[in-house]
Amino acid sequence: MHTHLTDDQLAIVEATGDFAREHLAPHAVAWDQAKHFPVDVLRKAAGLGLGGVYVREESGGSGLGRQDGVLVFEALATGCPSIAGYLSIHNMVAWMIDRYGSPGQRARLLPGLCSTEALASYCLTEPGAGSDAAALTTRARRDGDHYVLDGVKQFVSGAGTSQVYVVMARTGGPGASGISAFLVERDDPGVSFGPNERKMGWNAQPTRQVLLDGVRLPADRLLGAEGEGFRIAMNGLNGGRIGIAACSLGGAQDALERATRYLSDREAFGARLLHAPALQFRLADMATELEAARSLLWRAAAALDRGDPRAPELCAMAKRYATDTGFEVANAALQLHGGYGYLAEYGIEKIVRDLRVHQILEGTNEIMRVIVARGLTGAA
């Protein structure tokens, strides 16, 4: 599946895959069960340039494109989709700061983010504003040379551990045009966090509310200009969506390979299960669906790299198709394991649980259909 990649891309896949096999896969089930967030391993990943994948080299990043990035996150997710998913979000935030930040903001924040000495989180969703993100109610009130933020952000990956938060808050009237983006730091007075959510999957990273109670920020914490926050948030999500799509493919690819090995080792009715035509056909369909999703994902990544006007639509297509396909393939791999697939020690049930949320986060797959439909119909 990598025959047409450049030598540099092949080296990226090999190095990232080796890292996933050595540092993620052996510990993934234990981290999931203990709800352990392996920050030390994230810092090891930064040694490969994975803390600032899309950040420009002059800002301390790796300066890679989106086509390179989807290779990175697919390879990482073969070791642990939860950790790969968090790194995708961290890199989305780092890119937003590199793309829209002032020289001072970039110089102050990006070195720590690229080294993962500081981690980053994305704060858009609220308890009452999920799919309708433009309806958010967190407010940022201008007070002289400061802004004062009040509100609650929901489902924030890395919250409590991350040092840097890109927070969308309302500075103007209703709708998207009244939203601005702010750089909030963990130790700012008035910032606190809810309890770690009890989740179906993604247990190797914390998910908490971010509580903003009169958080007073200097005006230079504004990211971009007033009223640009929603555009910044959506542009960040285009890349975030294909990152999560890549994580789904990596997790599902690992599940497919586990199922193939299991069928090769297991015997029933006097023959290896792998020799049964019906099971061979099932594996063939799983592999075909993954390859189709991968092709769409790579096309979307290429469109984002070249600034294609259809990139948001293609990213939505790829996110919807790859995350649906990834979950279905992982679930089929569990079924092929029979009762053993339901046991934690085989690792399959964790992959299924981790991949399920990919159909929800970075915009639900129903919203992805809305984005595609708007592109087709021209509807606002």
Side-chain angles (χ1 to χ4, degrees), residues 326-357:
F327 177 76
E328 290 164 5
V329 167
N331 196 42
L334 189 155
Q335 186 72 18
L336 289 171
H337 277 74
Y340 291 104
Y342 208 65
L343 301 181
E345 65 188 272
Y346 280 75
I348 291 288
E349 60 86 31
K350 175 198 176 295
I351 297 172
V352 172
R353 288 187 289 105
D354 281 350
L355 297 195
R356 180 60 183 87
V357 75

Side-chain angles (χ1 to χ4, degrees), residues 212-234:
L212 307 162
D213 183 10
V215 178
R216 190 174 183 83
L217 301 177
D220 64 6
R221 295 283 198 90
L222 179 69
L223 183 63
E226 275 199 18
E228 291 186 344
F230 194 76
R231 180 176 67 87
I232 292 171
M234 293 302 105

Side-chain angles (χ1 to χ4, degrees), residues 181-316:
F182 294 89
L183 297 169
V184 176
E185 298 184 28
R186 183 180 59 192
D187 297 330
D188 287 331
V191 176
S192 61
F193 305 95
N196 194 6
E197 303 284 3
R198 298 174 62 188
K199 308 188 295 286
M200 175 180 176
W202 267 34
N203 289 319
Q205 55 168 289
T207 302
R208 294 184 169 94
Q209 287 185 330
V210 176
L211 311 173
L212 307 162
D213 183 10
V215 178
R216 190 174 183 83
L217 301 177
D220 64 6
R221 295 283 198 90
L222 179 69
L223 183 63
E226 275 199 18
E228 291 186 344
F230 194 76
R231 180 176 67 87
I232 292 171
M234 293 302 105
N235 287 343
L237 280 176
N238 287 330
R241 285 165 180 160
I242 61 174
I244 290 299
C247 292
S248 285
L249 295 186
Q253 184 68 41
D254 181 42
L256 173 59
E257 292 171 5
R258 288 171 184 255
T260 304
R261 290 195 298 270
Y262 177 81
L263 296 180
S264 178
D265 294 339
R266 181 82 170 172
E267 290 189 4
F269 307 106
R272 292 190 185 277
L273 290 177
L274 191 63
H275 296 161
L279 300 182
Q280 291 178 352
F281 290 173
R282 188 73 177 273
L283 293 173
D285 285 345
M286 293 159 69
T288 301
E289 291 299 313
L290 284 180
E291 199 60 45
R294 189 173 289 114
S295 295
L296 178 56
L297 176 60
W298 289 2
R299 183 181 177 195
L304 197 56
D305 275 337
R306 67 174 180 269
D308 190 318
R310 290 193 66 218
E313 181 182 344
L314 289 167
C315 289

Side-chain angles (χ1 to χ4, degrees), residues 58-90:
E58 56 265 36
S59 296
S62 298
L64 300 180
R66 301 296 177 169
Q67 294 179 79
D68 305 314
V70 295
L71 299 174
V72 164
F73 291 112
E74 179 176 351
L76 275 179
T78 62
C80 179
S82 176
I83 297 304
Y86 173 74
L87 269 173
S88 173
I89 294 167
H90 170 88

